[in-house]
Structures are given as C-alpha cells and as structure tokens.
Amino acid sequence: MSRPVSTYRLQLTPDLGFAQVAELAPYLRDLGVTHVYLSPVLQAVPGSRHGYDVTDHSRIREEFGGAAGFREMAERLAAHDLGVVVDIVPNHMNTVNDRFWSVLKDGPASPYAAWFDIHWVDGEVALPVLGDDVKPVVDGDVLRYHEHTFPYPGHYRLVDWREGPGYRRFFDVSTLIGLRVEDPAVLFATHEVIFWLLDEGLVDGLRVDHPDGLADPRGYLRRLRERTGGAWTVVEKILIGDERLPADWPCDGTTGYEVLNRVTGLFVDPSGAEPLVELFTEMTGRTEGYPAVVARAKRDVLDLFFRAEVNRLAAAASCPPEAVAELLAAMPVYRAYVVPGEPPPPESVEIVERAAASCPPHLQPAVQSLVQQVLYGPPEIVTRFQQACGPVMAKGVEDTALYRWYPLACLNEVGGEPDRFGLTPDEFHAYCALMRPHTMTTLSTHDTKRSEDVRARLAVLSEMPREWAVTVKEWSAALSFDPDLDYLAWQNLMAAWPISAERFADHLLKAAREAKTAISWVDPDPGYERRLREFAHAAVRLPVGEFTGRIDPFAMSNSLGAKLVQLMMPGVPDVYQGNETTDFSLVDPDNRRPVTYPRTPETSWDAAKLLVTGQALRLRRRLGGGGAHLPLRAEGEAAEHAVAFARGSADTPERPRAVAVATRLPVRLARRALVRTAAAPLGDGVGGGAVAEPDPAEDMRLGWGATTLTLPHGRWRDLLTGTVHTGRVPLGHLLGRYPVALLERHDL
C-alpha cells in the first residue's frame, strides 16, 4: 500500500467508467500524479452522475464495469506506477434500496431496521412524498403514487413532501437516508467491498464524505483506521476561520477547503475591501453586514427545511423549538466535537456558550438549559444537536448566505469568509507550519462554487475596484433584472467568459433558487424564471469579454501563482479533472461537465498552466511525501508582491530541495513601473485610463525594481525556463518570463 504524494480527481459517470480511466494512465503518469482519485464506485441510482446516492454497498457499480472492470483498471494503472484513491459515503444511501424496502415492509422487526437512523412513531416512519390531490393506489402487494412504489401493507405513513421525514437524512435531501455506521455490523456491511479493495491492494487511500453527519466521527475513523491498517484517509470536513481538525480524529487531514480559501486569500488585495463592499451595497441595496446575513439565512433554512429536526430535538430536550432553532442558527461551525459520556473539550464549551450568548434575551433560560444538555446531557441530545449543525451550516451558509452577500465572489467559497479580504505571506507561512503533513490540498473540486481560474479573475477586482465599478455600472445601466442577483451575475459572467447563454442562464437560475430572495427550489415562479433567461441571453451580448481580456494578464499571474503554491506547499495536492489547463466553470453541474483528454493548450495561459502543473507534480514525485516548509522572504520595495518558500524531501525534510516563488497582487506591482502623464493611473477608473498597458507582463517585471530573493545555498535550476540561479537573485530576472518560478536544487 503506497501513500499518495499527489492525486487527480475524476468524476465517474456512465460515460466515464473504469475502462476509460485506465486509458488515461499514460497521460496521468506523464503529468506527474501518483494516484487517481475516483468519485464513489459502489452501486448507485441508475444514471447517477455523482454516485453519492448508493443503493447497494455489496456491489461495485455495473455501469462503470463492475468488480472485474475495477480490478482491470487498477492493474493497468499500477503498470504505469499509479495507485487508486476512492471516495466513500458512510453517512447515507438512497432510499430506493432493498434494505429500506424491507424496513418499510416489516418495520422494527426487519433485519435491516438497525441500519437506518429512524424515528419510529407507533411503529411507522413518515415518508414525505405527497404533493397533490392524487390518491395513492394499491396494486397487488405494492402502493403506487406517481413514480413512487412502496410495499403494501407496510410500516410507514405518507406525508406532505414539505414535511421532514421520519429519519435522519443528508441535509434536506429526503431521498438520502442516514446510516448508523456507529453499529459495527452496519459499518462492516456497508464497507465490505471497500475493505476488500484495500486488502487486495487495488486501493491505497480513502476520501470520507461528510463525516459531520455521523453520530461519532472520531469513533468511526478509529474503527476505519484499525481495519484498513492505517491507509491514507482524508475527510470532507469544512473548517471555519481558525478552526482546526480535532487532533484525536485518526486521519491524515481534510480534503482541503481551508487550504483553498487561504491560497485564494494570498491573491486578494485587502485595500479593495471597503470600496467593493460600498459597490455591493450600492448595486444591491443590501446594507447588512455578512454576519447578519448569515444569521438570517440560517433562520430561513431552519424554517424551510428543518422543522422536523428542530421539533424532534425540542421534544427530547423538553425545550421550546424556538430555543433549539436559535442555538442552531448561532453555531459558527459544522460540529462542536462533543462526545457523549466524555467531558467536553474547552474549545467546544466556548463555541456553544458563545453561540448561546448571542441568542435573544427572552429565550436565554431555555437556551441555557439546552446548552447544558448539548454539552453534558443524554447521548441522544448531544449527538442529534451536532448532527443538525452541519446541515444548517451547509444550507444556511453555503447554499443561501453565499448567494446573498458577495462583494467579491472569489471569497464566497465553501468554508470561506466573504468579509475577510486577503491573507499576507507571513499568515500563510504560519498556517503551513501547523498543517498535517499528509492532508489533502486543492483549488477546485466537484463542489466548489467557482473554479480556480474564475476566482483568479475575480481576485484582480480587489486591486482595481474603481475601474470595476465604472464598468459594471455601465453594464447595469444597459441591462438590469433583479437587484438581488444582478451584481453576482456580472461578476460571474466576466470571470467565466466566454460562456454560452444557456450555461449562464442555468447558473443564474440555480443562484436565484439558492438565494431564496425571489424564488427557491420549493417555491418556483415561471414568470421570474423566464425573465431571468431573457436577461442571461441579453447579458452575453454585451462587451463583457473586452474587460475580461484586459484583466487576463493579471488573472493569469494569479492563476499560475495559486497553482504553484497549492502544488508545492505541505500536504498531498489534488488536481481536479481538467484543471491542469484553464477551466472557467461555475458551481455544479457546470463544473462536472465532461473533460476531453489529453489536455492540449489552446492559449498561452493554458500552456503555462500545464507547464507549471506538470513540472510541480513531477518534482513532488521526486521529493516524495512530507518535507519541511521553509519560508523565504524577498527584500526590497516590492517584497510584499512575492510569496516564496523552500521544501525539503521525504528523505531529508529539513534540507531545501525545491523553491517555489509566486507573484501576488500583480496590478499594483505593474503600477510601480508605469510613468503616467495625461492618462490616469492603472485601474482607478477616471480620466479614461487604460486597465492594462500593451505589455502588462513587462510592467510586472519592471515593477520589481531592485527587489531580490536570496536562495538557499547551492545551484538552483528553474524547471520552467531551464535557467540556473545562485545566491541573491533579482526578482525581475527570476520572474522575467513567467510570474512564477519553480526551482530544483541542481548540485546534488
């Protein structure tokens, strides 16, 4: 079993199965990755494009090639020195499966009743499917209602689809029922195939989906680690702000959203915060700050989606539902890490008590009673409350607030803090010093709101807010639709350019439904949706691409810089499918479109990104996993525009073997080289000043002036240009051809 040094994520679909993955082996090996990282492989709903709706844990998905196809794929990948990492889903499965059918038929007496997290009422479970005046029809030994089929008779009752189900579900998705993997028998039955793949050496590592939904994530990870013999394991855990993964969770780290947000922050200018927030307020009429928007959004989703969960907790805790809802809305993280029967960690006590203190005064007695039960009470209350925190955060923040408050949309990412503009190199290095050495890092995933290159373009706006304000107001004056949506639309249209009217319209429709200000998934408005599509078709005809083209030299610098930093910093870097070249995708399903291989450059940006990605991955493979992160600091007037660090190897972790250097805040760097007379300074939006000079790359090079970087002792070869450097190097020389440099020690 080999530990991954880097991974490449592929989204399996009925069109991209195991045979097609195997055919990519030579390409991926040449790219430099060590492991292919696959979306879920177990039997799922027929035609599923994501695989998180598992229906049978005992089978590898037939549409992909089944068990035989998986083995053949793994062997062909191994012949090219590539391992396999798989995504597993312990929290839930689709409700259309033989086990749940048995439970609906036989009730608590079913041998599978212990599999599912069910709230039985008089021996029945509520199923939220009813939606009109049509009556269910008995047809022999089944009950039919539209496309739904149930055993008849059975231990269930059909209720309105807007009601919560009588079982724990994944977020608000009633077709995904919660599993009780805290039961050892259930864990083994749902992981038997995964364990077989590990035992056979066909899989080297695991990505665990949504551990926050589990009753006991720490206990689950302990049992998983014991059974897998310590296989590399990362968890899809969203960490907020300075939150860290609990030290006692036995895994290698997370899937990297906290890294993604910090890397993005390196390329955001904090001086853009005030003017961009002012512009957002002017364009939308929204005057609330982000915390207030989050609080309102969480209360909205609690009322819309989670009344059943709130009422169940309230009944168990003998507490008013309003107090439960307010405490859930006030929780700032996805889980408080309280384990039933153990003293709560001081950090957990502080989180819950701080949340309680922000609840309304008239509810304080009830809230304080609930706090005691959440921290020290019966296992059911401790567990249920924590299992509810994740869905409320996900639906309230990720799927609502991030679509309502967006002064700079590159900050509106999963786990991000849109009101926190920028991260300094020193803050970045301090973060790297505390990272788990084998945690996953990423820039784009199947769940990101925007691809890394879309974010790279948006980050440029933080350096030129006045120019952006002039431009976006011109577009808005020519075409408007909904003040709650328009400004987000213009940011995404500019940053995803070129984009078809249909892709753009589909994205705006999802954004509007997620924002829930005019329409929602449960409250459509055909007239609004028709006008939205008309707006999208008209918007793509405006000269948006002219602005995008002017900022692209700076966006390219951000893109290459972020890519190099992510691939060379501590951790196991992941490349999402197709993102070794440029990708201007928006939120799913846009970012899950099929990818054509091999990736061939169509632009200079493509070529540079493919070069950086391949050279960095191959260097990481030579270095092996681990290795110290050693900050390097530029000297001179433009030093703030560089982020640089050295890396050791697995064999000699403290001895520098590689150096990565990236340009940050490129617009301000280019301004240093400009000698303006009648025209206005770059990006200030007055006097007709141009956004970019004819050769912005040259302006950036000249902007370094006399700023230098002193390399560690030895001879260093730039893998991007072939140039050899030693000692103190002028950054204008080191970064003369590309805005990044990747150096390998050349005298070993």
Side-chain angles (χ1 to χ4, degrees):
M1 184 180 297
S2 63
R3 182 181 290 272
V5 174
S6 59
T7 61
Y8 189 97
R9 169 79 178 204
L10 288 169
Q11 292 294 112
L12 298 172
T13 69
D15 307 311
L16 181 70
F18 302 140
Q20 290 74 33
V21 171
E23 292 173 359
L24 296 178
Y27 171 80
L28 295 177
R29 167 63 189 186
D30 289 346
L31 186 63
V33 296
T34 68
H35 283 70
V36 178
Y37 161 33
L38 302 176
S39 59
V41 300
L42 298 182
Q43 192 65 44
V45 171
S48 173
R49 308 293 292 183
H50 53 78
Y52 292 97
D53 45 5
V54 175
T55 58
D56 188 348
H57 292 85
S58 68
R59 290 190 295 151
I60 294 180
R61 193 166 171 182
E62 296 297 336
E63 289 170 289
F64 297 164
F70 190 100
R71 179 182 289 278
E72 181 179 354
M73 173 201 68
E75 291 174 348
R76 290 177 63 185
L77 292 172
H80 288 82
D81 198 24
L82 292 168
V84 177
V85 171
V86 295
D87 196 340
I88 63 173
V89 192
N91 177 67
H92 56 265
M93 68 183 298
N94 193 269
T95 53
V96 181
N97 68 78
D98 293 342
R99 279 78 173 169
F100 192 50
W101 182 276
S102 169
V103 173
L104 295 179
K105 181 175 182 294
D106 299 325
S110 166
Y112 299 106
W115 272 48
F116 305 106
D117 204 344
I118 293 175
H119 178 62
W120 297 102
V121 177
D122 298 328
E124 293 183 331
V125 57
L127 303 179
V129 297
L130 300 177
D132 53 29
D133 294 331
V134 175
K135 301 295 184 183
V137 176
V138 177
D139 182 8
D141 58 356
V142 300
L143 183 71
R144 301 188 186 277
Y145 177 73
H146 291 293
E147 73 275 16
H148 303 285
T149 304
F150 309 99
Y152 184 80
H155 291 255
Y156 58 87
R157 67 183 188 281
L158 304 185
V159 300
D160 188 274
W161 68 274
R162 295 175 181 82
E163 293 187 28
Y167 49 83
R168 182 174 60 83
R169 55 186 168 173
F170 173 70
F171 294 167
D172 62 332
V173 185
S174 295
T175 55
L176 298 177
I177 184 171
L179 291 165
R180 297 185 61 254
V181 292
E182 64 270 25
D183 184 325
V186 177
L187 186 148
F188 178 80
T190 55
H191 290 62
E192 182 177 8
V193 169
I194 300 300
F195 294 154
W196 169 73
L197 293 173
L198 287 160
D199 292 343
E200 289 286 308
L202 302 177
V203 165
D204 292 328
L206 305 173
R207 180 262 199 191
V208 178
D209 183 67
H210 190 47
D212 281 331
L214 305 179
D216 179 13
R218 185 190 66 184
Y220 167 79
L221 291 170
R222 283 178 176 172
R223 292 188 292 273
L224 193 66
R225 176 137 288 187
E226 290 168 0
R227 177 58 182 80
T228 63
W232 182 76
T233 303
V234 292
V235 294
E236 187 221 14
K237 177 76 182 82
I238 310 303
L239 301 172
I240 304 298
D242 295 328
E243 181 187 12
R244 293 276 178 170
L245 195 65
D248 60 358
W249 280 26
C251 62
D252 291 280
T254 74
T255 53
Y257 277 103
E258 69 280 6
V259 170
L260 177 159
N261 286 300
R262 283 172 170 82
V263 173
T264 296
L266 270 175
F267 301 90
V268 170
D269 188 345
S271 69
E274 184 176 348
L276 286 174
V277 171
E278 289 177 356
L279 177 61
F280 167 76
T281 300
E282 181 181 352
M283 296 288 289
T284 64
R286 287 188 172 272
T287 58
E288 289 181 310
Y290 180 63
V293 170
V294 167
R296 182 183 298 273
K298 290 168 80 172
R299 292 188 186 98
D300 287 348
V301 300
L302 277 159
D303 184 58
L304 277 171
F305 304 127
F306 300 119
R307 277 179 283 184
E309 288 83 352
V310 167
N311 290 338
R312 200 170 302 156
L313 257 172
S318 300
C319 180
E322 294 81 3
V324 174
E326 284 294 335
L327 186 58
L328 283 169
M331 285 292 291
V333 292
Y334 283 70
R335 195 175 182 95
Y337 314 114
V338 181
V339 178
E342 295 184 10
E347 299 85 356
S348 300
V349 174
E350 181 183 357
I351 288 170
V352 177
E353 289 185 345
R354 188 171 2 111
S358 69
C359 293
H362 73 280
L363 290 174
Q364 281 298 320
V367 167
Q368 293 301 325
S369 171
L370 179 60
V371 165
Q372 293 303 304
Q373 297 183 71
V374 166
L375 294 174
Y376 309 102
E380 179 186 5
I381 296 174
V382 173
T383 299
R384 295 286 183 202
F385 182 84
Q386 294 194 87
Q387 287 178 310
C389 288
V392 174
M393 283 288 291
K395 298 305 296 182
V397 179
E398 290 178 39
D399 295 344
T400 305
L402 294 185
Y403 291 92
R404 293 181 180 180
W405 203 88
Y406 42 83
L408 185 62
C410 64
L411 302 177
N412 289 47
E413 199 47 81
V414 179
E417 298 172 278
D419 55 348
R420 181 179 179 180
F421 281 68
L423 186 81
T424 68
D426 284 346
E427 290 171 329
F428 171 75
H429 294 313
Y431 177 80
C432 289
L434 299 176
M435 288 178 64
R436 296 193 184 197
H438 302 290
T439 190
M440 179 179 277
T441 70
T442 191
L443 287 182
S444 298
T445 78
H446 60 288
D447 280 333
T448 41
K449 304 296 185 185
R450 292 160 191 83
S451 70
E452 58 205 60
D453 296 317
V454 168
R455 295 199 307 274
R457 281 173 167 169
L458 289 167
V460 177
L461 304 184
S462 69
E463 296 191 76
M464 48 197 317
R466 286 182 289 176
E467 170 72 19
W468 166 243
V470 170
T471 303
V472 77
K473 287 177 184 178
E474 289 175 355
W475 298 340
S476 188
L479 182 68
S480 61
F481 169 59
D482 178 354
D484 284 323
L485 185 68
D486 288 3
Y487 184 51
L488 182 64
W490 293 126
Q491 289 186 68
N492 288 336
L493 179 59
M494 182 282 296
W497 191 271
I499 184 171
S500 70
E502 285 306 313
R503 274 181 61 208
F504 186 48
D506 288 346
H507 171 72
L508 290 186
L509 182 59
K510 178 169 184 173
R513 287 170 171 170
E514 299 283 41
K516 306 170 190 68
T517 52
I519 60 172
S520 69
W521 296 102
V522 299
D523 190 15
D525 180 342
Y528 180 96
E529 294 171 14
R530 175 182 51 79
R531 296 191 300 275
L532 179 150
R533 290 194 174 276
E534 291 172 353
F535 169 80
H537 280 259
V540 298
R541 293 196 292 269
L542 293 179
V544 175
E546 295 178 7
F547 183 89
T548 303
R550 296 202 304 272
I551 72 165
D552 265 357
F554 306 110
M556 175 179 166
S557 177
N558 288 342
S559 166
L560 299 182
K563 198 69 172 179
L564 181 65
V565 168
Q566 181 249 334
L567 293 177
M568 292 304 299
M569 68 188 290
V572 176
D574 176 57
V575 176
Y576 182 60
Q577 59 181 28
N579 278 258
E580 61 269 38
T581 56
T582 58
D583 173 47
F584 300 103
S585 295
L586 299 170
V587 72
D588 72 278
D590 196 59
N591 60 10
R592 302 182 188 182
R593 290 171 293 144
V595 176
T596 302
Y597 293 96
R599 303 298 289 168
T600 54
E602 297 181 4
T603 66
S604 59
W605 188 347
D606 276 337
K609 191 175 182 189
L610 185 60
L611 174 66
V612 169
T613 303
Q615 290 290 0
L617 288 172
R618 291 189 288 272
L619 176 55
R620 287 299 299 265
R621 190 165 59 191
R622 292 194 292 274
L623 296 177
H629 174 94
L630 308 168
L632 300 176
R633 290 176 173 82
E635 298 177 359
E637 61 181 8
E640 67 167 327
H641 294 281
V643 55
F645 53 89
R647 293 298 311 278
S649 69
D651 297 330
T652 55
E654 300 297 333
R655 184 182 183 189
R657 289 278 306 277
V659 168
V661 186
T663 301
R664 58 188 297 269
L665 310 183
V667 176
R668 284 210 281 119
L669 178 65
R671 285 197 189 118
R672 292 178 174 274
L674 293 178
V675 179
R676 310 292 270 178
T677 54
L682 176 66
D684 74 355
V686 296
V691 176
E693 291 297 296
D695 190 354
E698 177 67 6
D699 291 333
M700 284 188 278
R701 187 185 70 82
L702 294 174
W704 290 111
T707 305
T708 62
L709 180 72
T710 300
L711 300 174
H713 177 74
R715 290 168 55 82
W716 296 88
R717 179 173 177 268
D718 189 339
L719 300 179
L720 307 181
T721 66
T723 306
V724 175
H725 302 278
T726 60
R728 179 179 292 183
V729 184
L731 282 173
H733 175 57
L734 182 65
L735 305 177
R737 182 169 176 186
Y738 297 106
V740 296
L742 177 61
L743 312 177
E744 184 176 21
R745 190 165 181 143
H746 196 53
D747 57 352
L748 296 176

